[in-house]
Amino acid sequence: MRADFLCFQQAQLAGLTSTYRAFVSSHLQDLVTVVRKTDRYHLPIVNLKGETLFNNWESIFDGNGGQFNIHVPIYSFNGRNVMTDPSWPQKVIWHGSTARGIRLVSNYCEAWRTAEMGAVGQASPLKTGKLLDQKVYSCSNQFIVLCIENSFVSDAQGK
């Protein structure tokens, strides 16, 4: 998926060495399964400055729409707060999923392959404080695609 490649590429340009994926369901994978099973329960979900957004990956998909504290910023790879920076005039993120992270094949812009006005995708206005709010929008919108680190790599030597 092109969004995954763009997340990977932007992370590399920012000097980040872990694997980053787009926070969207795809034609091959439900959003809830983007992070490895071994990392879903014990690692906190943090922003680029280490501030906690969620206690763990699974807590995003508890059915409450991925409720987060709107006072904890979500940053782009270049350190800009997507909630306040004018680079993102519409503070809405694509996700294409149910509140439990299962793909909605009728609401994910034809597997994220179209920007047609008549096609629709599931998205969430960040002002709601939910990553998985259940709103349907035309695929012609240019919304935010969040990138998440999906494979934590620890340095065995502590560097």
Side-chain angles (χ1 to χ4, degrees):
M1 201 164 94
R2 182 163 168 73
D4 283 336
F5 176 72
L6 290 172
C7 285
F8 169 79
Q9 189 177 47
Q10 289 177 24
Q12 294 290 304
L13 289 171
L16 301 169
T17 57
S18 296
T19 302
Y20 284 79
R21 297 270 312 271
F23 185 82
V24 293
S25 283
S26 73
H27 66 288
L28 298 174
Q29 189 171 40
D30 292 323
L31 180 55
V32 70
T33 63
V34 168
V35 169
R36 298 182 310 190
K37 277 187 181 181
T38 57
D39 293 336
R40 291 181 196 166
Y41 300 96
H42 65 280
L43 294 173
I45 307 304
V46 299
N47 63 18
L48 281 180
K49 295 188 179 179
E51 300 166 304
T52 302
L53 290 161
F54 296 95
N55 291 330
N56 58 49
W57 182 252
E58 283 293 316
S59 67
I60 299 171
F61 307 101
D62 63 4
N64 290 323
Q67 187 74 47
F68 68 97
N69 180 347
I70 60 171
H71 301 294
V72 177
I74 297 173
Y75 295 105
S76 64
F77 285 117
N78 61 5
R80 294 187 286 180
N81 180 343
V82 300
M83 293 290 284
T84 59
D85 195 285
S87 299
W88 299 276
Q90 295 175 296
K91 311 302 184 190
V92 180
I93 64 160
W94 290 117
H95 60 77
S97 307
T98 67
R100 295 214 180 263
I102 307 303
R103 72 193 112 170
L104 285 167
V105 294
S106 61
N107 288 2
Y108 72 149
C109 298
E110 297 176 19
W112 309 112
R113 293 187 181 118
T114 187
E116 294 289 325
M117 179 76 104
V120 295
Q122 205 80 356
S124 182
L126 290 175
K127 67 181 180 195
T128 65
K130 294 182 177 188
L131 292 187
L132 296 170
D133 203 14
Q134 299 298 296
K135 305 279 190 233
V136 177
Y137 295 90
S138 166
C139 297
S140 63
N141 285 293
Q142 293 184 3
F143 292 154
I144 300 165
V145 174
L146 294 180
C147 297
I148 54 104
E149 181 180 8
N150 82 321
S151 62
F152 177 76
V153 180
S154 62
D155 186 341
Q157 298 174 346
K159 293 181 184 174

